Amino acid sequence: MTKQVPDADGARPSMLALAEVFKAVAHPVRAQVLDLLSHGESSIPELCEGTGEKASHLSRHLAQMRSQRLIECQRSEGRLMYRLACPEVANLLAAARSVLQAQVAAAVARTRYTPRRTYGTVAPQAAPRAAAATGPATFSDEQFAELEHTLASRAVIADACEAIAARCGCTLDEAAKLLIMTAHKSNLTLRAAAARELQDQHGPRA
């Protein structure tokens, strides 16, 4: 078996090629384009509408993904149509979503084991509400059971944490803790709090 020789930067050629694929996806607009194309081929105007980008800005993103053979295009009925170069490209987004969901689940699990905050000689249950809002959330056994039950809806929770992280400019760990505290203060399940966050983000439908 031939041993692969690392390149000057220490990476094997196959790893360099792999890194280039990830680099081609590493932009919100390009990820959004791939998501749109995973549902079927689209024209430039349709991609502009779906991403909110101008055609002039979108073209460089499309060119980068074409150079990595993630997407391809051909003319159909006078229109230039884009599509995924192969169905496996959609697996990149699915894998990324799985990683995000796992991160949120881990953040929720870590929050479960956060020690209760004490406030001097005052018992935790008698601590001021304002102080409790800024410290780690504490839950009863019943609330923990409810929290574990809502983890079956991790996709909704993950989307809400992503929305909170984008809105607040924080990490997913911090977003998960904010969502948990919101659910606790509003007496909602974690899934219900996540659904409300997503509804508030998108606003009322016309």
Side-chain angles (χ1 to χ4, degrees):
M1 179 175 167
T2 303
K3 184 178 180 180
Q4 288 184 311
V5 179
D7 206 339
D9 61 359
R12 296 196 304 271
S14 60
M15 292 297 101
L16 292 174
L18 189 64
E20 288 299 317
V21 171
F22 283 121
K23 188 188 299 183
V25 186
H27 192 283
V29 172
R30 295 197 287 273
Q32 194 172 10
V33 168
L34 292 181
D35 184 53
L36 292 169
L37 295 182
S38 69
H39 299 289
E41 62 180 20
S42 297
S43 64
I44 290 286
E46 289 169 339
L47 291 174
C48 289
E49 181 180 358
T51 61
E53 294 288 317
K54 296 179 180 179
S56 57
H57 295 162
L58 195 60
S59 61
R60 62 185 178 88
H61 294 298
L62 295 173
Q64 186 165 354
M65 288 188 288
R66 286 183 66 186
S67 69
Q68 287 298 320
R69 299 182 179 85
L70 297 178
I71 63 174
E72 59 187 18
C73 65
Q74 66 177 22
R75 194 165 295 278
S76 175
E77 298 180 356
R79 294 196 305 169
L80 198 60
M81 302 297 294
Y82 283 84
R83 63 189 178 194
L84 297 181
C86 59
E88 288 76 11
V89 173
N91 294 341
L92 288 171
L93 297 181
R97 288 193 178 99
S98 295
V99 170
L100 288 174
Q101 290 173 10
Q103 289 174 340
V104 170
V108 170
R110 285 195 295 272
T111 304
R112 171 176 179 174
Y113 296 106
T114 300
R116 290 175 178 267
R117 181 184 291 273
T118 58
Y119 304 86
T121 58
V122 181
Q125 61 268 24
R129 294 181 61 85
T134 59
T138 58
F139 301 93
S140 65
D141 290 340
E142 291 79 10
Q143 288 170 318
F144 277 135
E146 182 180 72
L147 179 61
E148 289 171 344
H149 176 72
T150 60
L151 288 180
S153 303
R154 286 192 307 176
V156 175
I157 296 168
D159 287 347
C161 286
E162 289 181 54
I164 293 171
R167 173 166 53 81
C168 299
C170 61
T171 66
L172 282 174
D173 272 20
E174 293 166 338
K177 291 178 182 180
L178 287 173
L179 182 61
I180 291 169
M181 286 192 286
T182 297
H184 180 56
K185 290 189 293 184
S186 303
N187 197 27
L188 296 172
T189 65
L190 194 58
R191 189 186 190 285
R196 189 173 72 174
E197 167 66 31
L198 293 174
Q199 184 179 12
D200 290 345
Q201 179 195 22
H202 294 295
R205 295 184 180 272

